[in-house]
Amino acid sequence: HEREHDREISELVSKHEEEMEKLRTELNKEQQHLLDELQQQMAARHKAEVEQAQLQSQTLHSLELEALRLSLNNMHTSQLELTQSNLRKEKETALVELREMLNDKRAQEVAILQSRHQLEWEKIKEQCMKEKEDL
């Protein structure tokens, strides 16, 4: 009876150990499966975060480029306005100089014409006087 009892206990212990081994194996499989799922989720999340970071970086880069473009456009516009202003001033200065030069030339020509007129007037006057004397 005692042997029978020992044998049953031994069978129970053996069954218990088999079941425990089976449960350990299942638990290890389930743990591995959960770890694989977790790794996949983490990889997917990491990929999504990297993509989001790249998108934000591209957006930021695009905004920086647009800001630079606008800044260059403003600088170009300012430069053009400054150039136009300088050209306008140079043109006005050149016109003033040309007007002064033309006025000086006109004054010289008027003086020369007046001098010639005076000389001719005097010649005519002398001629008139001669003709009077001759008459």
Side-chain angles (χ1 to χ4, degrees):
H1 184 45
E2 215 174 283
R3 273 189 212 157
E4 185 69 28
H5 183 60
D6 283 345
R7 190 181 61 74
E8 284 179 5
I9 288 179
S10 152
E11 281 179 15
L12 284 175
V13 166
S14 173
K15 273 185 183 179
H16 179 68
E17 284 177 3
E18 283 176 21
E19 283 183 28
M20 287 299 285
E21 188 60 35
K22 189 178 177 183
L23 286 173
R24 276 190 199 108
T25 303
E26 284 180 24
L27 182 62
N28 284 339
K29 282 181 184 178
E30 193 171 329
Q31 276 183 331
Q32 189 60 44
H33 178 70
L34 289 173
L35 280 173
D36 289 345
E37 274 185 26
L38 185 59
Q39 280 180 332
Q40 287 175 353
Q41 288 174 356
M42 287 178 69
R45 184 175 294 154
H46 178 71
K47 183 180 176 184
E49 287 175 356
V50 166
E51 288 174 356
Q52 180 68 24
Q54 286 175 340
L55 183 63
Q56 286 176 346
S57 175
Q58 288 173 349
T59 303
L60 182 61
H61 183 67
S62 295
L63 289 173
E64 288 173 347
L65 284 177
E66 182 63 17
L68 281 173
R69 187 189 69 74
L70 289 173
S71 175
L72 283 174
N73 195 18
N74 287 340
M75 287 172 53
H76 185 251
T77 302
S78 296
Q79 188 65 34
L80 282 175
E81 289 172 355
L82 182 62
T83 302
Q84 286 177 339
S85 173
N86 287 340
L87 287 174
R88 195 176 303 114
K89 286 178 185 174
E90 287 176 13
K91 181 181 171 184
E92 288 171 3
T93 303
L95 285 173
V96 166
E97 289 174 1
L98 183 61
R99 187 175 292 122
E100 287 174 359
M101 189 177 78
L102 288 173
N103 285 338
D104 288 347
K105 190 172 181 180
R106 183 176 172 266
Q108 287 174 357
E109 288 176 355
V110 165
I112 290 171
L113 287 174
Q114 283 178 344
S115 161
R116 282 184 189 161
H117 182 264
Q118 186 67 33
L119 282 173
E120 286 181 23
W121 173 252
E122 298 219 359
K123 279 182 185 177
I124 292 173
K125 207 174 168 185
E126 280 179 26
Q127 244 179 356
C128 271
M129 291 267 231
K130 254 186 182 180
E131 287 178 7
K132 271 185 185 181
E133 282 177 18
D134 288 346
L135 284 175

